[in-house]
Amino acid sequence: AIIGLEYRFGITSNIQAGVHRSLFSKTIQTFGRWDALRQGNSLPVSISFTGSFEGLNNLRDNHQPGVAITVSRTFSDRLALYATPAFVGSTHAVDFISGHEGHDHDTGLEDVPDEHAGHNDTWFMGLGGRLRFSTTGYVTGEYTPRIAGYDPNSAEWGIAIEKRTGGHTLQLNFTNCFGTTFGQLARGGS
């Protein structure tokens, strides 16, 4: 299992900042989000902007800036749908998977010629949904195809069970990839 821990802090009611650490290549992602428009009587969707910066080896190596726009729509308090076009720079610079906690993952891609050598950055589209099935329980799903640029692996997909407890959210994910940051998702699943 790959564990990711994240801490978000609400600066105002529509601005937040955070840091996310994944055991996968010891990646740290810092980010900020601005909820620019909120769904209401005059607007059928919410729109948010996110900027991020991440790096491997505890933010020391292979830096990757990212930006995304999220358009979301909620239906009562039961269902939420999301579309997130995103851009991540320097994804090609991280064309390896490093081990974590003393072991490596054999991907079978080590000796495959790099057909994406001419691309350095990645555009992708995150598509997702979240369905509440109890007072504090949710099931979520996502699919993240790459639109353009560096795309060495298949599109990422995942499902999760989520539990809200006070100010915390715990989530158990099942995916075809280890990625939890923009840069990791840009490289896709395997």
Side-chain angles (χ1 to χ4, degrees), residues 122-185:
T122 302
W123 288 90
F124 66 87
M125 174 67 78
L127 303 168
R130 182 178 192 221
L131 177 66
R132 183 170 62 87
F133 63 84
S134 71
T135 306
T136 60
Y138 301 84
V139 62
T140 66
E142 67 179 25
Y143 178 64
T144 309
R146 270 73 51 78
I147 299 168
Y150 185 64
D151 63 344
N153 299 310
S154 60
E156 180 272 342
W157 59 263
I159 58 170
I161 297 171
E162 193 171 275
K163 174 74 172 165
R164 223 179 56 231
T165 59
H168 303 283
T169 301
L170 305 173
Q171 190 178 69
L172 180 61
N173 295 280
F174 302 93
T175 73
N176 70 331
C177 109
F178 294 116
T180 54
T181 67
F182 281 167
Q184 292 170 346
L185 292 174

Side-chain angles (χ1 to χ4, degrees), residues 54-102:
E54 70 184 80
L56 280 61
N57 190 22
N58 295 316
L59 206 56
R60 290 187 195 108
D61 303 325
N62 301 96
H63 299 126
Q64 297 175 278
V67 292
I69 299 171
T70 300
V71 178
S72 61
R73 167 90 174 152
T74 58
F75 300 90
S76 71
D77 62 350
R78 289 289 222 200
L79 177 66
L81 300 175
Y82 304 92
T84 306
F87 169 83
V88 179
S90 302
T91 49
H92 188 262
V94 188
D95 58 359
F96 62 90
I97 296 177
S98 67
H100 59 91
E101 301 305 316

